[in-house]
Coordinates of all heavy atoms in Angstrom, one line a residue:
H417 N 99.3 -40.3 63.0 CA 99.8 -41.4 62.2 C 101.2 -41.1 61.6 O 102.1 -41.9 61.7 CB 98.8 -41.9 61.2 CG 99.3 -43.0 60.2 ND1 99.4 -44.3 60.6 CD2 99.8 -42.9 59.0 CE1 99.9 -45.0 59.6 NE2 100.1 -44.2 58.6
L418 N 101.2 -39.9 61.0 CA 102.5 -39.4 60.4 C 103.6 -39.2 61.4 O 104.7 -39.6 61.2 CB 102.3 -38.1 59.6 CG 101.4 -38.2 58.4 CD1 101.1 -36.8 57.9 CD2 102.0 -39.0 57.3
I419 N 103.2 -38.7 62.6 CA 104.2 -38.4 63.7 C 104.7 -39.8 64.2 O 105.9 -39.9 64.4 CB 103.5 -37.6 64.8 CG1 103.2 -36.2 64.3 CG2 104.4 -37.5 66.0 CD1 102.3 -35.4 65.2
A420 N 103.8 -40.7 64.4 CA 104.2 -42.0 64.9 C 105.2 -42.7 64.0 O 106.0 -43.5 64.4 CB 103.0 -42.9 65.2
N421 N 105.0 -42.4 62.7 CA 105.9 -43.1 61.7 C 107.1 -42.2 61.3 O 107.8 -42.5 60.3 CB 105.1 -43.5 60.5 CG 104.2 -44.7 60.7 OD1 104.6 -45.8 60.6 ND2 102.9 -44.4 61.1
N422 N 107.2 -41.1 62.0 CA 108.4 -40.1 61.8 C 108.4 -39.6 60.3 O 109.5 -39.5 59.7 CB 109.7 -40.8 62.1 CG 110.8 -39.8 62.3 OD1 110.6 -38.7 62.7 ND2 112.0 -40.2 62.0
K423 N 107.2 -39.3 59.8 CA 107.1 -38.8 58.4 C 107.0 -37.3 58.5 O 105.9 -36.8 58.9 CB 105.9 -39.4 57.7 CG 106.1 -40.9 57.3 CD 107.2 -41.1 56.3 CE 106.7 -40.5 54.9 NZ 107.7 -40.7 53.9
K424 N 108.0 -36.6 58.1 CA 108.0 -35.1 58.1 C 107.7 -34.5 56.8 O 108.4 -33.7 56.2 CB 109.4 -34.6 58.6 CG 109.8 -35.1 60.0 CD 111.1 -34.6 60.4 CE 111.5 -35.1 61.8 NZ 110.6 -34.6 62.9
I425 N 106.5 -34.9 56.3 CA 106.1 -34.4 54.9 C 105.6 -33.0 55.1 O 105.3 -32.5 56.2 CB 105.0 -35.3 54.3 CG1 103.7 -35.3 55.1 CG2 105.5 -36.8 54.2 CD1 102.6 -36.0 54.5
D426 N 105.5 -32.3 53.9 CA 104.9 -31.0 53.9 C 103.4 -31.1 54.1 O 102.7 -31.9 53.5 CB 105.2 -30.3 52.6 CG 106.7 -30.0 52.4 OD1 107.4 -30.1 53.4 OD2 107.1 -29.6 51.3
L427 N 102.8 -30.2 54.9 CA 101.4 -30.1 55.1 C 100.9 -28.8 54.5 O 101.4 -27.7 54.8 CB 101.1 -30.2 56.6 CG 101.6 -31.3 57.4 CD1 101.2 -31.2 58.9 CD2 101.2 -32.7 56.8
L428 N 99.8 -28.9 53.7 CA 99.2 -27.7 53.1 C 97.7 -27.7 53.5 O 97.1 -28.7 53.5 CB 99.3 -27.7 51.6 CG 100.8 -27.8 51.0 CD1 101.3 -29.2 51.0 CD2 100.8 -27.1 49.6
Y429 N 97.2 -26.5 53.7 CA 95.8 -26.4 54.2 C 95.0 -25.3 53.4 O 95.6 -24.3 52.9 CB 95.8 -25.9 55.7 CG 96.2 -27.0 56.7 CD1 97.6 -27.2 56.9 CD2 95.3 -27.7 57.4 CE1 98.0 -28.2 57.8 CE2 95.7 -28.7 58.3 CZ 97.0 -28.9 58.5 OH 97.4 -29.9 59.4
Y430 N 93.7 -25.6 53.4 CA 92.7 -24.5 53.0 C 91.8 -24.5 54.2 O 91.1 -25.4 54.5 CB 91.9 -24.9 51.8 CG 92.7 -24.8 50.5 CD1 93.2 -26.0 49.9 CD2 93.0 -23.6 49.9 CE1 94.0 -26.0 48.7 CE2 93.8 -23.6 48.7 CZ 94.2 -24.7 48.1 OH 95.0 -24.7 47.0
S431 N 91.8 -23.3 54.9 CA 91.0 -23.2 56.2 C 90.3 -21.9 56.3 O 90.7 -20.9 55.7 CB 92.0 -23.4 57.3 OG 91.4 -23.2 58.6
N432 N 89.2 -21.9 57.1 CA 88.6 -20.6 57.3 C 89.1 -19.8 58.5 O 88.7 -18.7 58.8 CB 87.0 -20.8 57.5 CG 86.7 -21.7 58.7 OD1 87.3 -21.7 59.7 ND2 85.6 -22.4 58.5
G433 N 90.1 -20.4 59.2 CA 90.8 -19.8 60.3 C 90.1 -19.7 61.6 O 90.6 -19.1 62.5
S434 N 88.9 -20.3 61.7 CA 88.1 -20.1 62.9 C 88.5 -21.0 64.0 O 88.1 -20.8 65.2 CB 86.6 -20.3 62.5 OG 86.4 -21.6 62.2
N435 N 89.2 -22.1 63.7 CA 89.4 -23.1 64.8 C 90.8 -23.7 64.6 O 91.2 -24.1 63.5 CB 88.4 -24.3 64.6 CG 88.4 -25.2 65.9 OD1 89.4 -25.8 66.2 ND2 87.2 -25.2 66.6
I436 N 91.6 -23.7 65.7 CA 93.0 -24.2 65.7 C 93.2 -25.2 66.8 O 94.4 -25.5 67.1 CB 94.0 -23.1 65.7 CG1 93.8 -22.2 66.9 CG2 93.9 -22.3 64.4 CD1 94.8 -21.1 67.1
T437 N 92.2 -25.7 67.4 CA 92.3 -26.8 68.4 C 91.4 -27.9 68.2 O 90.4 -27.7 67.5 CB 92.1 -26.2 69.9 OG1 90.7 -25.7 69.9 CG2 93.1 -25.0 70.2
F438 N 91.7 -29.0 68.8 CA 90.8 -30.2 68.7 C 90.9 -31.0 70.0 O 92.0 -31.4 70.3 CB 91.1 -31.1 67.5 CG 90.2 -32.2 67.3 CD1 88.9 -32.0 66.7 CD2 90.5 -33.5 67.6 CE1 88.1 -33.0 66.5 CE2 89.6 -34.6 67.4 CZ 88.4 -34.3 66.8
K439 N 89.8 -31.1 70.7 CA 89.8 -31.8 72.0 C 90.9 -31.3 72.9 O 91.6 -32.1 73.6 CB 89.9 -33.3 71.8 CG 88.7 -33.9 71.1 CD 88.7 -35.4 71.0 CE 87.5 -35.9 70.3 NZ 87.5 -37.4 70.2
G440 N 91.1 -30.0 73.0 CA 92.1 -29.4 73.9 C 93.5 -29.3 73.3 O 94.4 -28.8 74.0
T441 N 93.8 -29.9 72.1 CA 95.1 -29.9 71.6 C 95.3 -28.8 70.5 O 94.5 -28.7 69.6 CB 95.4 -31.2 70.9 OG1 95.4 -32.3 71.9 CG2 96.8 -31.2 70.3
H442 N 96.3 -27.9 70.7 CA 96.5 -26.8 69.8 C 97.2 -27.4 68.6 O 98.1 -28.3 68.6 CB 97.4 -25.8 70.5 CG 97.4 -24.5 69.8 ND1 98.1 -24.2 68.6 CD2 96.8 -23.3 70.1 CE1 98.0 -22.9 68.3 NE2 97.2 -22.4 69.2
I443 N 96.9 -26.9 67.4 CA 97.4 -27.4 66.1 C 98.9 -27.3 66.1 O 99.6 -28.2 65.5 CB 96.8 -26.7 64.9 CG1 97.2 -27.4 63.6 CG2 97.1 -25.3 64.9 CD1 96.9 -28.9 63.5
T444 N 99.5 -26.3 66.7 CA 101.0 -26.2 66.6 C 101.7 -27.3 67.4 O 102.9 -27.5 67.1 CB 101.4 -24.8 67.2 OG1 100.9 -24.6 68.5 CG2 100.9 -23.7 66.3
E445 N 101.0 -27.9 68.3 CA 101.6 -29.1 69.0 C 101.8 -30.3 68.1 O 102.7 -31.1 68.2 CB 100.7 -29.5 70.2 CG 100.7 -28.6 71.4 CD 102.1 -28.5 72.0 OE1 102.7 -29.5 72.3 OE2 102.6 -27.3 72.1
K446 N 101.0 -30.3 67.0 CA 101.2 -31.3 66.0 C 102.2 -30.8 64.9 O 103.0 -31.6 64.4 CB 99.8 -31.7 65.3 CG 98.8 -32.2 66.3 CD 99.2 -33.5 67.0 CE 98.1 -34.0 67.9 NZ 98.5 -35.2 68.6
W447 N 102.0 -29.6 64.5 CA 102.8 -29.0 63.4 C 104.3 -29.0 63.8 O 105.1 -29.0 62.9 CB 102.3 -27.6 63.1 CG 101.1 -27.6 62.3 CD1 100.4 -28.7 61.7 CD2 100.3 -26.5 61.9 NE1 99.3 -28.3 61.0 CE2 99.2 -26.9 61.2 CE3 100.4 -25.1 62.2 CZ2 98.2 -26.1 60.7 CZ3 99.5 -24.2 61.7 CH2 98.4 -24.7 60.9
K448 N 104.7 -28.9 65.0 CA 106.1 -28.8 65.4 C 106.9 -30.1 65.0 O 108.1 -30.1 64.9 CB 106.2 -28.6 66.9 CG 105.8 -29.8 67.8 CD 106.0 -29.4 69.2 CE 105.6 -30.5 70.2 NZ 105.6 -30.2 71.6

Side-chain angles (χ1 to χ4, degrees):
H417 174 76
L418 292 172
I419 294 168
N421 287 275
N422 197 32
K423 288 292 292 181
K424 299 181 181 296
I425 66 174
D426 292 348
L427 305 180
L428 301 86
Y429 288 82
Y430 291 101
S431 173
N432 61 33
S434 68
N435 195 297
I436 54 175
T437 63
F438 186 76
K439 294 184 177 180
T441 300
H442 198 284
I443 188 59
T444 55
E445 287 298 307
K446 303 297 182 183
W447 283 352
K448 69 183 180 182

